[in-house]
Amino acid sequence: MKKIEIVEVGPRDGFQSVKCAPIPTELKTKIIGELIGAGIKHIEFTSFVSPKAIPQLADAADVTKEVLGKYPNVDLFPLIPNLRGAQNAYNLGLRKACYVVSLSVSHNKANINRTHEQSLEAFKEIRKAYPDMQIIVDLATTFGCPYEGKYRDPERVVKFLKDYKDAGMTILTLCDTIGIADPAQVKEVIKAIQQAYPDVEIMVHFHDTRGLGMANTFAAIDCGITKVQTALGGLGGCPFAPGASGNLSTEDVVWALNEQGYETGIDFEKLLAAAKGQVHSIIGNYSGHQINIKVPVAENK
Ligand code: COA
Ligand code: ZN
């Protein structure tokens, strides 16, 4: 049976987009525990970013202290935007993180206030300062950007990544930050990267803004991708990408994979219970966010 690894990003991409009051740290760690209880083994669980940029994740250190060591068999990693973020994560005992840079110059500026040159320099600094830390390159706006529109040329991605490959990139996440990708484009981009950098492992991260998140995921799987990022309850969205809506929801993807005989290792009922319980309480109490939780089939009988 073909294995697909679900990488849950709700506690980072989801919680960062929740408006109004901050979600209490205990609720965050409770949801992380429920995700793990449902069989999730890989979680992007917070961000070590400026609390001014993302106040919702200002408790990154507290969340880390709470979860690190508690779940020894679970791969827990944060997002970092700069050397300072890497240092904060490393000092707390984390040895893996994803480093975000946008293919779009204007989104890179809006999101992390850096030029492409500065972002590359910071990636090199992090690699040099923490050689024992695994750094995933998260390429935001891979398929298009809120300020520049949709990208049509897959070679643009390949060219951009060359410097990162030369600087030691081994894992890459193709992030469709504004949900603008389509399945044909996904295949083209993945194939171009696979051809240019066959030893780089690729993850995918789709937002469902235009209803194509699921189709894009299966297009990626058709290209041999086995690591898929999703968010519980379909939460998510970059505060610096106007109009960005939620991620493709974990429960929808797990259901679709399980139904088709893929091995995910995730208990759908437990996952759904986590989404319906805790995430709904977040939606109700802390945000005006749209949520997309499907009624399980069993309840419709
Ligand atoms: N963690 C915590 N605080 C940080 C930090 C980090 N990794 N990096 C910088 N800061 C603090 C600085 O100390 C400074 O604080 P001060 O104003 O109290 O002195 C402030 O943030 C600004 O620092 P500066 O280096 O001037 O950065 P900036 O204003 O150019 O912002 C980033 C750059 C990267 C720090 C900021 O844009 C950011 O955190 N972006 C993250 C965006 C994000 O997560 N988007 C969603 C994911 S795609
Ligand atoms: Zn995202």
Side-chain angles (χ1 to χ4, degrees):
M1 208 179 354
K2 194 170 171 190
K3 278 192 185 172
I4 299 289
E5 196 173 288
I6 294 289
V7 180
E8 169 66 41
V9 299
R12 195 280 298 171
D13 206 344
F15 296 169
Q16 82 179 11
S17 70
V18 166
K19 298 172 189 78
C20 311
I23 305 170
T25 307
E26 309 79 64
L27 183 53
K28 292 179 177 175
T29 56
K30 187 164 190 262
I31 293 173
I32 292 170
E34 290 188 5
L35 286 161
I36 293 170
I40 302 261
K41 289 266 185 297
H42 307 270
I43 307 180
E44 189 177 315
F45 75 101
T46 190
S47 291
F48 285 88
V49 294
S50 159
K52 283 183 191 147
I54 309 276
Q56 296 88 339
L57 301 182
D59 60 354
D62 292 337
V63 175
T64 306
K65 284 177 199 152
E66 204 48 52
V67 298
L68 201 66
K70 192 169 174 186
Y71 306 108
N73 299 320
V74 181
D75 170 33
L76 291 156
F77 59 95
L79 177 145
I80 55 169
N82 55 15
L83 183 63
R84 164 100 176 264
Q87 186 179 42
N88 291 345
Y90 192 94
N91 289 345
L92 285 164
L94 292 161
R95 292 294 177 270
K96 179 176 176 181
C98 52
Y99 174 74
V100 64
V101 56
S102 296
L103 184 58
S104 147
V105 174
S106 36
H107 185 259
N108 206 50
K109 187 77 184 158
N111 195 37
I112 49 172
N113 195 24
R114 295 287 181 270
T115 62
H116 274 169
E117 291 72 24
Q118 289 168 326
S119 280
L120 178 63
E121 232 12 76
F123 178 69
K124 289 180 181 167
E125 273 171 21
I126 294 168
R127 299 277 329 142
K128 196 169 164 209
Y130 302 104
D132 57 336
M133 205 168 182
Q134 186 180 38
I135 307 293
I136 301 166
V137 174
D138 263 11
L139 186 61
T141 66
T142 297
F143 302 94
C145 141
Y147 310 102
E148 296 171 11
K150 188 156 175 169
Y151 302 140
R152 303 280 171 188
D153 179 11
E155 285 308 310
R156 180 185 177 130
V157 189
V158 171
K159 276 192 204 128
F160 178 83
L161 289 173
K162 169 88 173 57
D163 289 332
Y164 283 84
K165 175 75 178 90
D166 291 346
M169 171 184 73
T170 55
I171 311 187
L172 163 71
T173 315
L174 302 178
C175 302
D176 185 16
T177 311
I178 56 163
I180 201 170
D182 65 77
Q185 184 191 21
V186 167
K187 286 187 178 179
E188 274 182 11
V189 169
I190 291 176
K191 282 178 186 162
I193 299 170
Q194 285 170 330
Q195 201 173 4
Y197 313 118
D199 51 347
V200 171
E201 193 171 11
I202 303 172
M203 283 197 268
V204 287
H205 173 117
F206 294 116
H207 284 253
D208 208 22
T209 319
R210 290 164 181 80
L212 282 177
M214 189 69 83
N216 289 336
T217 299
F218 281 96
I221 290 173
D222 278 352
C223 295
I225 300 307
T226 58
K227 295 179 187 219
V228 175
Q229 299 193 346
T230 58
L232 191 68
L235 283 173
C238 174
F240 305 102
S245 75
N247 283 274
L248 188 55
S249 88
T250 308
E251 55 278 13
D252 283 357
V253 175
V254 168
W255 191 81
L257 289 168
N258 287 355
E259 284 296 300
Q260 293 179 85
Y262 289 92
E263 191 184 321
T264 61
I266 296 166
D267 181 323
F268 176 73
E269 297 301 329
K270 283 190 185 165
L271 186 69
L272 195 68
K276 289 177 77 177
Q278 301 305 333
V279 175
H280 265 177
S281 88
I282 289 178
I283 302 305
N285 295 322
Y286 303 102
S287 126
H289 199 92
Q290 295 274 320
I291 192 159
N292 178 27
I293 293 176
K294 307 276 156 54
V295 178
V297 177
E299 288 183 16
N300 280 338
K301 276 183 187 160

